[in-house]
Amino acid sequence: MDILGATLRVCVDDLEASVSFYERLAGTRALRFGRGGVEVAAVGCFLLMSGPEEELEVLRKVAATIAVKEVEEAHRTLCELRADIIAGPVPTPAGRTLVVRHPDGSVYEYVDRNAAG
């Protein structure tokens, strides 16, 4: 499985103020999208999330988002390693995603950048 990088997940109260800060910090523009009732802005290695507390509570349980070449390959490898598959793989507008609990209890989201579907 090829791990391409990781994205830090940050829950914020004021997405607009946070986007401005992180765009200047990372030197890049935010890519914005919705995820259920949560507004999301991807800025460099940061994934900013803002929305209803009940939805953010679930998202806070995921330690980081790990970019991989192929989610299906990550799924096979993680199953072989006896990780607990929580959700996925499922398509998203940006690619596919998989949420997994590692044997140590840490929860990660794995994503690829392939065409959805």
Side-chain angles (χ1 to χ4, degrees):
M1 167 175 63
D2 293 330
I3 295 177
L4 306 176
T7 301
L8 306 170
R9 300 165 66 94
V10 184
C11 294
V12 299
D13 292 328
D14 184 342
L15 189 63
E16 293 309 314
S18 296
V19 164
S20 177
F21 172 84
Y22 282 95
E23 282 180 335
R24 291 190 64 201
L25 178 67
T28 188
R29 304 273 309 157
L31 170 65
R32 295 171 183 252
F33 56 96
R35 185 178 201 168
V38 176
E39 293 180 70
V40 181
V43 187
C45 67
F46 300 97
L47 188 65
L48 310 176
M49 300 174 288
S50 183
E53 185 55 39
E54 58 274 5
E55 292 189 45
L56 292 177
E57 182 180 339
V58 172
L59 296 173
R60 282 190 181 100
K61 294 178 182 178
V62 178
T65 298
I66 300 170
V68 295
K69 188 173 180 182
E70 292 282 338
V71 160
E72 295 301 332
E73 180 185 1
H75 183 254
R76 285 190 300 276
T77 299
L78 290 158
C79 284
E80 289 171 9
L81 294 170
R82 304 218 189 279
D84 181 24
I85 307 303
I86 297 171
V90 296
T92 71
R96 290 168 295 180
T97 185
L98 172 69
V99 180
V100 178
R101 182 178 298 107
H102 290 189
D104 64 8
S106 300
V107 177
Y108 296 94
E109 176 185 39
Y110 289 81
V111 298
D112 63 25
R113 300 292 183 241
N114 296 322

